[in-house]
Amino acid sequence: KLMRFFTDVPNPARVLEIGCGTGLLTQLLADRFPGVEIEGIDLAKDLVRMASHRFAGNSNVSLHVADALTYRPGRLSQVIASSSTFHWITPLKDLFRNVAGMLTPDGRLIFSMMLRGTLIELHESRRRVAHEKPVMSSLPNAEEVQAELEEAGLVVSDKHEEVVQAEYPS
């Protein structure tokens, strides 16, 4: 679904993906922007290793272990992408400030993240059966995310919030 936001993006010289994981979004970006330099970072070295195998023959894709809060690439990116990663990174204010410093002046940040209310049933079940274990800290709501983006100097040109509820018999 995130790739819908790339339909009007002209071919950039460079794309940075934050939270590349096993390389699923990285592959979609490489397919959308063939021949474009794509760099992916993730904090989890085992996931980066898995993704590196996927792109072993692709010289346009480079992947490495890095912290999105402190990472400084050698070159600015026209596009920074991330799927389901930003809700794990705190504080958002610091993340968005760092991201703003990695974008070209006309660059775009395209991302998806979980918001407050996500997986509420899972959190409630966990509290009932494993109340001694810590739960994920509270996620931000859409307004808080927008405020942090704007405070970092980023302009929100498009946004989409989606609520999906799935019911399972057990």
Side-chain angles (χ1 to χ4, degrees):
K1 290 181 181 181
L2 184 65
M3 291 307 293
R4 291 183 290 195
F5 292 93
F6 289 90
T7 55
D8 69 335
V9 176
N11 271 11
R14 178 179 157 72
V15 175
L16 172 64
E17 180 187 2
I18 297 175
C20 63
T22 61
L24 180 61
L25 179 59
T26 316
Q27 184 65 62
L28 294 172
L29 292 167
D31 292 345
R32 169 65 179 85
F33 302 115
V36 168
E37 177 188 342
I38 298 174
E39 179 181 14
I41 64 169
D42 200 298
L43 203 52
K45 64 180 164 187
D46 289 340
L47 295 180
V48 171
R49 189 176 312 120
M50 290 171 64
S52 295
H53 291 297
R54 180 186 288 221
F55 297 100
N58 189 335
S59 62
N60 293 324
V61 176
S62 64
L63 306 167
H64 52 276
V65 177
D67 185 337
L69 286 172
T70 58
Y71 181 67
R72 300 307 293 172
R75 292 181 31 221
L76 299 180
S77 298
Q78 288 77 26
V79 174
I80 295 179
S82 184
S83 178
S84 298
T85 299
F86 286 178
H87 52 271
W88 301 113
I89 304 171
T90 58
L92 269 180
K93 177 187 328 184
D94 294 347
L95 170 66
F96 290 146
R97 271 197 205 122
N98 196 40
V99 166
M102 293 188 281
L103 277 170
T104 60
D106 62 339
R108 295 185 190 190
L109 168 62
I110 301 173
F111 70 97
S112 65
M113 68 181 290
M114 295 181 198
L115 298 172
R116 188 168 299 142
T118 301
L119 304 175
I120 197 80
E121 313 84 11
L122 178 63
H123 295 301
E124 288 302 317
S125 296
R126 185 168 185 201
R127 270 192 274 280
R128 284 195 303 273
V129 299
H131 56 274
E132 72 284 355
K133 292 187 177 183
V135 295
M136 186 165 69
S137 62
S138 179
L139 296 170
N141 63 34
E143 293 76 23
E144 291 167 335
V145 172
Q146 179 149 348
E148 296 292 3
L149 286 163
E150 291 171 356
E151 187 175 318
L154 297 166
V155 176
V156 177
S157 61
D158 193 6
K159 66 179 181 176
H160 175 78
E161 188 173 341
E162 184 174 322
V163 176
V164 177
Q165 183 172 346
E167 305 248 347
Y168 299 95
S170 65

